[in-house]
Amino acid sequence: GAVVSQHPSRVICKSGTSVKIECRSLDFQATTMFWYRQFPKKSLMLMATSNEGSKATYEQGVEKDKFLINHASLTLSTLTVTSAHPEDSSFYICSARGRDHEQYFGPGTRLTVT
Amino acid sequence: EDQVTQSPEALRLQEGESSSLNCSYTVSGLRGLFWYRQDPGKGPEFLFTLYSAGEEKEKERLKATLTKKESFLHITAPKPEDSATYLCAVLFSGGYNKLIFGAGTRLAVHP
């Protein structure tokens, strides 16, 4: 299957700071990427759909000004958590959509806000 | 309401004890059903895509089947390394090309 990377894998930041997470599609061009959030022992919660060259589409209840998404190229999408607070601590996972709508997921980023 | 339900929530098996996981869905216009495996602290790993009722796919000890209402993931003679959470997701008409995920089945295989 396709390979998707995320960086960093873990990050600890102080409350009020911003954190950027990168998601790269390593072996195919992805016009569409997705950002998910996952709570312990829960399933994936879609946050937003990232489309190359256009604005991201956010799910209901997700603050677009807090979770900034940029999809500047066919292989890179970034999620920036702005003014992070402890309640933003979570496991963030990105995916890239393949030709047949299957999604290939990155390894995830564990964010801890202190 | 469009919904994906997985059962059981958790399953404990002895090594070699075959079983099945269920994924039932209530969506109109199914375009694809996807199975993933997720290990703790990692992103989901793509396993299979099924598109139409009657379709089956196999990979090692896993076989996925699809009907008009549900999908089964059959695990034959499981090994401890098959322990993981198995997620299913559906893509359907009117779903804006997004996947709807079930809550998953946590599988534990003991030697």
Side-chain angles (χ1 to χ4, degrees), chain A residues 64-80:
Chain A
K64 63 178 68 176
D65 294 330
K66 180 166 188 62
F67 298 100
L68 300 179
I69 291 172
N70 184 277
H71 194 156
S73 77
L74 288 171
T75 59
L76 174 64
S77 176
T78 61
L79 168 68
T80 301

PDB file of all heavy atoms in Angstrom, chain A residues 64-80:
ATOM      1  N   LYS A  64     -12.068  26.385  12.559  1.00  0.00           N
ATOM      2  CA  LYS A  64     -11.103  26.562  11.473  1.00  0.00           C
ATOM      3  C   LYS A  64      -9.975  27.517  11.832  1.00  0.00           C
ATOM      4  O   LYS A  64      -8.870  27.408  11.303  1.00  0.00           O
ATOM      5  CB  LYS A  64     -11.809  27.012  10.202  1.00  0.00           C
ATOM      6  CG  LYS A  64     -12.502  28.345  10.293  1.00  0.00           C
ATOM      7  CD  LYS A  64     -13.142  28.734   8.969  1.00  0.00           C
ATOM      8  CE  LYS A  64     -14.300  27.833   8.628  1.00  0.00           C
ATOM      9  NZ  LYS A  64     -15.027  28.233   7.394  1.00  0.00           N
ATOM     10  N   ASP A  65     -10.246  28.456  12.731  1.00  0.00           N
ATOM     11  CA  ASP A  65      -9.192  29.395  13.123  1.00  0.00           C
ATOM     12  C   ASP A  65      -8.235  28.790  14.135  1.00  0.00           C
ATOM     13  O   ASP A  65      -7.140  29.306  14.341  1.00  0.00           O
ATOM     14  CB  ASP A  65      -9.808  30.663  13.721  1.00  0.00           C
ATOM     15  CG  ASP A  65     -10.588  31.441  12.690  1.00  0.00           C
ATOM     16  OD1 ASP A  65     -10.222  31.368  11.489  1.00  0.00           O
ATOM     17  OD2 ASP A  65     -11.570  32.106  13.059  1.00  0.00           O
ATOM     18  N   LYS A  66      -8.651  27.708  14.751  1.00  0.00           N
ATOM     19  CA  LYS A  66      -7.792  27.055  15.726  1.00  0.00           C
ATOM     20  C   LYS A  66      -6.966  25.953  15.059  1.00  0.00           C
ATOM     21  O   LYS A  66      -5.810  25.747  15.401  1.00  0.00           O
ATOM     22  CB  LYS A  66      -8.627  26.434  16.842  1.00  0.00           C
ATOM     23  CG  LYS A  66      -7.771  25.739  17.887  1.00  0.00           C
ATOM     24  CD  LYS A  66      -8.566  25.441  19.124  1.00  0.00           C
ATOM     25  CE  LYS A  66      -7.631  24.948  20.190  1.00  0.00           C
ATOM     26  NZ  LYS A  66      -6.619  25.926  20.577  1.00  0.00           N
ATOM     27  N   PHE A  67      -7.573  25.266  14.130  1.00  0.00           N
ATOM     28  CA  PHE A  67      -6.897  24.174  13.429  1.00  0.00           C
ATOM     29  C   PHE A  67      -6.702  24.606  11.968  1.00  0.00           C
ATOM     30  O   PHE A  67      -7.567  24.384  11.123  1.00  0.00           O
ATOM     31  CB  PHE A  67      -7.715  22.892  13.526  1.00  0.00           C
ATOM     32  CG  PHE A  67      -7.904  22.391  14.922  1.00  0.00           C
ATOM     33  CD1 PHE A  67      -9.093  22.632  15.610  1.00  0.00           C
ATOM     34  CD2 PHE A  67      -6.904  21.695  15.572  1.00  0.00           C
ATOM     35  CE1 PHE A  67      -9.279  22.174  16.907  1.00  0.00           C
ATOM     36  CE2 PHE A  67      -7.076  21.225  16.873  1.00  0.00           C
ATOM     37  CZ  PHE A  67      -8.263  21.469  17.541  1.00  0.00           C
ATOM     38  N   LEU A  68      -5.552  25.208  11.713  1.00  0.00           N
ATOM     39  CA  LEU A  68      -5.267  25.734  10.387  1.00  0.00           C
ATOM     40  C   LEU A  68      -4.690  24.626   9.508  1.00  0.00           C
ATOM     41  O   LEU A  68      -3.734  23.968   9.870  1.00  0.00           O
ATOM     42  CB  LEU A  68      -4.267  26.888  10.480  1.00  0.00           C
ATOM     43  CG  LEU A  68      -4.704  28.093  11.319  1.00  0.00           C
ATOM     44  CD1 LEU A  68      -3.604  29.140  11.347  1.00  0.00           C
ATOM     45  CD2 LEU A  68      -5.994  28.686  10.791  1.00  0.00           C
ATOM     46  N   ILE A  69      -5.271  24.473   8.329  1.00  0.00           N
ATOM     47  CA  ILE A  69      -4.828  23.433   7.411  1.00  0.00           C
ATOM     48  C   ILE A  69      -4.376  24.076   6.110  1.00  0.00           C
ATOM     49  O   ILE A  69      -5.061  24.922   5.536  1.00  0.00           O
ATOM     50  CB  ILE A  69      -5.954  22.414   7.154  1.00  0.00           C
ATOM     51  CG1 ILE A  69      -6.212  21.611   8.429  1.00  0.00           C
ATOM     52  CG2 ILE A  69      -5.592  21.479   5.990  1.00  0.00           C
ATOM     53  CD1 ILE A  69      -7.422  20.721   8.364  1.00  0.00           C
ATOM     54  N   ASN A  70      -3.211  23.622   5.658  1.00  0.00           N
ATOM     55  CA  ASN A  70      -2.660  24.095   4.396  1.00  0.00           C
ATOM     56  C   ASN A  70      -2.239  22.894   3.562  1.00  0.00           C
ATOM     57  O   ASN A  70      -1.544  22.013   4.037  1.00  0.00           O
ATOM     58  CB  ASN A  70      -1.447  25.006   4.648  1.00  0.00           C
ATOM     59  CG  ASN A  70      -0.909  25.589   3.371  1.00  0.00           C
ATOM     60  OD1 ASN A  70      -0.130  24.960   2.655  1.00  0.00           O
ATOM     61  ND2 ASN A  70      -1.344  26.791   3.055  1.00  0.00           N
ATOM     62  N   HIS A  71      -2.668  22.874   2.319  1.00  0.00           N
ATOM     63  CA  HIS A  71      -2.340  21.759   1.413  1.00  0.00           C
ATOM     64  C   HIS A  71      -1.686  22.368   0.184  1.00  0.00           C
ATOM     65  O   HIS A  71      -2.295  22.502  -0.865  1.00  0.00           O
ATOM     66  CB  HIS A  71      -3.634  21.022   1.048  1.00  0.00           C
ATOM     67  CG  HIS A  71      -3.412  19.687   0.401  1.00  0.00           C
ATOM     68  ND1 HIS A  71      -4.367  18.701   0.456  1.00  0.00           N
ATOM     69  CD2 HIS A  71      -2.387  19.181  -0.307  1.00  0.00           C
ATOM     70  CE1 HIS A  71      -3.936  17.633  -0.207  1.00  0.00           C
ATOM     71  NE2 HIS A  71      -2.740  17.907  -0.679  1.00  0.00           N
ATOM     72  N   ALA A  72      -0.432  22.736   0.364  1.00  0.00           N
ATOM     73  CA  ALA A  72       0.256  23.537  -0.644  1.00  0.00           C
ATOM     74  C   ALA A  72       0.741  22.751  -1.840  1.00  0.00           C
ATOM     75  O   ALA A  72       1.010  23.319  -2.902  1.00  0.00           O
ATOM     76  CB  ALA A  72       1.429  24.262   0.007  1.00  0.00           C
ATOM     77  N   SER A  73       0.890  21.445  -1.686  1.00  0.00           N
ATOM     78  CA  SER A  73       1.362  20.643  -2.812  1.00  0.00           C
ATOM     79  C   SER A  73       0.642  19.308  -2.821  1.00  0.00           C
ATOM     80  O   SER A  73      -0.105  18.990  -1.893  1.00  0.00           O
ATOM     81  CB  SER A  73       2.873  20.422  -2.722  1.00  0.00           C
ATOM     82  OG  SER A  73       3.166  19.423  -1.752  1.00  0.00           O
ATOM     83  N   LEU A  74       0.855  18.526  -3.854  1.00  0.00           N
ATOM     84  CA  LEU A  74       0.174  17.243  -3.981  1.00  0.00           C
ATOM     85  C   LEU A  74       0.726  16.179  -3.036  1.00  0.00           C
ATOM     86  O   LEU A  74       0.213  15.066  -3.000  1.00  0.00           O
ATOM     87  CB  LEU A  74       0.269  16.743  -5.428  1.00  0.00           C
ATOM     88  CG  LEU A  74      -0.588  17.508  -6.421  1.00  0.00           C
ATOM     89  CD1 LEU A  74      -0.261  17.091  -7.845  1.00  0.00           C
ATOM     90  CD2 LEU A  74      -2.066  17.300  -6.147  1.00  0.00           C
ATOM     91  N   THR A  75       1.767  16.518  -2.287  1.00  0.00           N
ATOM     92  CA  THR A  75       2.342  15.533  -1.374  1.00  0.00           C
ATOM     93  C   THR A  75       2.435  16.025   0.063  1.00  0.00           C
ATOM     94  O   THR A  75       2.923  15.300   0.920  1.00  0.00           O
ATOM     95  CB  THR A  75       3.746  15.117  -1.843  1.00  0.00           C
ATOM     96  OG1 THR A  75       4.574  16.287  -1.900  1.00  0.00           O
ATOM     97  CG2 THR A  75       3.705  14.448  -3.213  1.00  0.00           C
ATOM     98  N   LEU A  76       1.966  17.229   0.330  1.00  0.00           N
ATOM     99  CA  LEU A  76       2.150  17.782   1.677  1.00  0.00           C
ATOM    100  C   LEU A  76       0.916  18.534   2.144  1.00  0.00           C
ATOM    101  O   LEU A  76       0.407  19.428   1.460  1.00  0.00           O
ATOM    102  CB  LEU A  76       3.346  18.726   1.711  1.00  0.00           C
ATOM    103  CG  LEU A  76       3.577  19.498   3.024  1.00  0.00           C
ATOM    104  CD1 LEU A  76       3.885  18.540   4.166  1.00  0.00           C
ATOM    105  CD2 LEU A  76       4.697  20.525   2.856  1.00  0.00           C
ATOM    106  N   SER A  77       0.432  18.161   3.331  1.00  0.00           N
ATOM    107  CA  SER A  77      -0.608  18.917   4.020  1.00  0.00           C
ATOM    108  C   SER A  77      -0.112  19.175   5.433  1.00  0.00           C
ATOM    109  O   SER A  77       0.549  18.321   6.023  1.00  0.00           O
ATOM    110  CB  SER A  77      -1.928  18.144   4.052  1.00  0.00           C
ATOM    111  OG  SER A  77      -2.909  18.855   4.798  1.00  0.00           O
ATOM    112  N   THR A  78      -0.406  20.351   5.952  1.00  0.00           N
ATOM    113  CA  THR A  78       0.003  20.656   7.320  1.00  0.00           C
ATOM    114  C   THR A  78      -1.196  21.059   8.158  1.00  0.00           C
ATOM    115  O   THR A  78      -2.152  21.677   7.668  1.00  0.00           O
ATOM    116  CB  THR A  78       1.044  21.796   7.367  1.00  0.00           C
ATOM    117  OG1 THR A  78       0.473  22.977   6.807  1.00  0.00           O
ATOM    118  CG2 THR A  78       2.308  21.422   6.618  1.00  0.00           C
ATOM    119  N   LEU A  79      -1.140  20.677   9.426  1.00  0.00           N
ATOM    120  CA  LEU A  79      -2.156  21.057  10.410  1.00  0.00           C
ATOM    121  C   LEU A  79      -1.449  21.852  11.485  1.00  0.00           C
ATOM    122  O   LEU A  79      -0.486  21.352  12.085  1.00  0.00           O
ATOM    123  CB  LEU A  79      -2.807  19.811  11.015  1.00  0.00           C
ATOM    124  CG  LEU A  79      -3.689  20.030  12.256  1.00  0.00           C
ATOM    125  CD1 LEU A  79      -4.949  20.805  11.884  1.00  0.00           C
ATOM    126  CD2 LEU A  79      -4.068  18.696  12.897  1.00  0.00           C
ATOM    127  N   THR A  80      -1.889  23.068  11.708  1.00  0.00           N
ATOM    128  CA  THR A  80      -1.327  23.889  12.774  1.00  0.00           C
ATOM    129  C   THR A  80      -2.373  24.093  13.851  1.00  0.00           C
ATOM    130  O   THR A  80      -3.459  24.616  13.568  1.00  0.00           O
ATOM    131  CB  THR A  80      -0.857  25.256  12.246  1.00  0.00           C
ATOM    132  OG1 THR A  80       0.130  25.054  11.222  1.00  0.00           O
ATOM    133  CG2 THR A  80      -0.243  26.087  13.370  1.00  0.00           C
TER     134      THR A  80
END
